[in-house]
C-alpha cells in the first residue's frame, strides 16, 4: 500500500485569527492540541483524520504524555472551538465525522504532487486536485 501521510509540515510564523482565538481562550495547551491534531492528520491520512466519539480519548493517550496538563475536557473544548471558528471545516465534520480544512488540504496536496499515486475520498475534498498531473485516484464513500 502506498504511503498516505507526510513526514513534516510547514507551520507559519504568523498565526491566523482562528488559531489566535484558540490560544487566547486555552493558552499554550490549546495551541498544543491544534498542532498535535495537525501532526496526526498529516502523518496518518495526510489531509483529514476521523474524529468520532472515542477519538478524543485515543488522541489524548497517543499524543499527550503524563504531566502535559492536557485532558479530555480541554481536547473536546478546543476541537469544538476550532469547528465553530473555521479552523476545521464544520460541514465535513457534521457529515462525515472528520477533521480537515482547505488549508490542510492545500498544504498536503502541494507536498504529494510528485507522488506516483495519491488516493483521496472525493466527498472529503475542499480543494481541487485536478492540477496534480493525473496521479490522483478519487474514491467515493460506499453507502454500504
Amino acid at each position: 500500500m502506498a504511503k498516505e501521510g507526510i513526514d513534516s509540515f510547514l507551520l507559519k510564523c504568523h498565526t491566523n485569527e482562528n488559531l489566535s482565538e484558540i490560544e487566547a481562550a486555552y493558552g499554550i495547551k490549546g495551541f498544543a492540541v491544534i498542532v498535535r491534531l495537525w501532526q496526526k492528520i498529516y502523518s496518518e491520512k495526510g489531509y483529514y483524520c476521523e474524529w468520532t466519539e472515542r477519538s478524543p480519548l485515543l488522541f489524548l493517550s497517543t499524543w499527550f504524555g503524563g504531566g502535559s496538563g492536557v485532558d479530555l475536557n480541554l481536547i473536546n473544548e478546543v476541537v469544538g472551538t476550532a469547528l465553530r471558528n473555521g479552523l476545521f471545516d464544520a460541514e465535513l465534520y457534521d457529515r462525515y465525522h472528520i477533521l480537515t480544512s482547505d488549508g490542510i488540504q492545500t498544504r498536503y496536496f502541494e507536498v504529494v504532487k510528485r507522488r506516483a499515486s495519491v488516493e483521496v475520498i472525493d466527498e472529503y475534498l475542499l480543494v481541487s486536485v485536478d492540477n496534480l498531473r493525473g496521479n490522483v485516484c478519487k474514491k467515493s464513500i460506499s453507502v454500504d
Side-chain angles (χ1 to χ4, degrees):
M1 180 177 186
K3 180 178 177 156
E4 291 180 280
I6 57 178
D7 295 327
S8 62
F9 65 97
L10 182 62
L11 184 59
K12 293 183 178 184
C13 293
H14 301 285
T15 60
N16 67 22
E17 288 180 357
N18 299 339
L19 185 55
S20 294
E21 179 184 351
I22 297 286
E23 193 168 3
Y26 306 103
I28 196 68
K29 292 175 190 173
F31 180 82
V33 168
I34 294 298
V35 172
R36 288 289 199 189
L37 280 168
W38 287 337
Q39 287 179 304
K40 174 180 174 50
I41 292 166
Y42 287 121
S43 68
E44 293 175 2
K45 300 291 186 182
Y47 66 104
Y48 76 94
C49 75
E50 294 177 355
W51 198 255
T52 61
E53 186 177 325
R54 58 185 252 163
S55 296
L57 183 61
L58 297 173
F59 176 69
L60 176 64
S61 69
T62 304
W63 290 90
F64 288 96
S68 69
V70 173
D71 61 21
L72 202 53
N73 221 21
L74 179 67
I75 291 170
N76 286 324
E77 288 180 25
V78 169
V79 169
T81 300
L83 287 164
R84 283 189 301 280
N85 77 10
L87 198 56
F88 294 122
D89 188 273
E91 185 178 326
L92 288 180
Y93 172 75
D94 290 340
R95 187 176 297 158
Y96 302 112
H97 303 289
I98 65 167
L99 298 178
T100 191
S101 71
D102 58 350
I104 289 168
Q105 292 185 11
T106 298
R107 284 183 283 283
Y108 172 72
F109 291 119
E110 180 63 30
V111 171
V112 300
K113 69 184 177 188
R114 285 173 255 148
R115 286 189 181 169
S117 176
V118 178
E119 277 192 12
V120 297
I121 298 172
D122 197 27
E123 291 86 350
Y124 293 0
L125 294 178
L126 294 167
V127 299
S128 173
V129 293
D130 295 336
N131 62 343
L132 293 180
R133 300 183 328 178
N135 65 346
V136 174
C137 175
K138 290 184 181 178
K139 303 185 307 184
S140 286
I141 298 172
S142 171
V143 293
D144 298 326

